[in-house]
Amino acid sequence: MKKQILFIAICFLSGVVSAQLFGTKFLTTYGFLNPYHIRAFVMGKTEYMQMFWNILWVRTKEYLFLALLGFTPVRKVLPQFIKSVLAYTFGLFLWACVMNMGLYGIVVCVCCIFPQGILYLTAIVLLIKLEVQPRYVGAGYEKSSWLRTSATTLFFTILTIVILVIMGALLEALAGNVLLHMVLQQLLK
């Protein structure tokens, strides 16, 4: 457990260092933290349903890719890889927000991640923990990793993941967007 926390902390700090060394000019000049893009987001009208379908399309591709990786030999290192990428990305994004907006950037970062982040992380945990049990076939155990759990357990786990991703996309398009819009309006005053 201590090794995992240390590994995640190192990945987070490497994201912070990356933002400090390489990302300052790129993220604040060309990226979403550009003052022009922030003002355009605050002043513009958002089409929430179009945003929802776009977010759902992107998230579905990501989760399908992770699910497909779960049935390959990469499955053994997939949880560590996902943790490291999430910690690195969070460190990069958090530090870029802080560099661009000061301490107010922490609030912007939290508004960008929550509440949908909780649902997405739960779906990722369920996807990773979709542990398969050996199924008895004839004189021995089946070697394939596909469908070694009971069909009902697999169905309800996949259904739960799908519902979590859809609800996360809804929260990201509606609640997260409105919350971020309110926070950025206060920032620009």
Side-chain angles (χ1 to χ4, degrees), residues 82-101:
I82 291 173
K83 289 175 195 173
S84 65
V85 168
L86 288 175
Y88 175 82
T89 306
F90 183 66
L92 179 81
F93 182 62
L94 178 67
W95 196 251
C97 286
V98 168
M99 286 189 309
N100 193 35
M101 298 172 223

Side-chain angles (χ1 to χ4, degrees), residues 51-72:
M51 181 179 275
F52 164 71
W53 290 112
N54 185 29
I55 290 169
L56 187 64
W57 172 248
V58 170
R59 299 297 181 250
T60 302
K61 289 188 292 186
E62 293 167 356
Y63 280 92
L64 281 176
F65 180 70
L66 288 177
L68 290 176
L69 280 179
F71 295 108
T72 65

Side-chain angles (χ1 to χ4, degrees), residues 63 116-129 160-161 164:
Y63 280 92
Q116 71 271 8
I118 297 168
L119 297 175
Y120 290 148
L121 285 176
T122 307
I124 288 173
V125 167
L126 283 176
L127 195 60
I128 289 172
K129 296 289 183 183
T160 304
I161 292 170
L164 285 170

Side-chain angles (χ1 to χ4, degrees), residues 11-27:
C11 291
F12 175 80
L13 290 175
S14 66
V16 169
V17 169
S18 295
Q20 185 66 34
L21 295 177
F22 310 114
T24 307
K25 192 166 254 182
F26 178 75
L27 290 172

Side-chain angles (χ1 to χ4, degrees), residues 147-161:
L147 290 179
R148 285 194 252 172
T149 58
S150 70
T152 21
T153 305
L154 187 66
F155 173 76
F156 283 115
T157 305
I158 292 173
L159 182 66
T160 304
I161 292 170

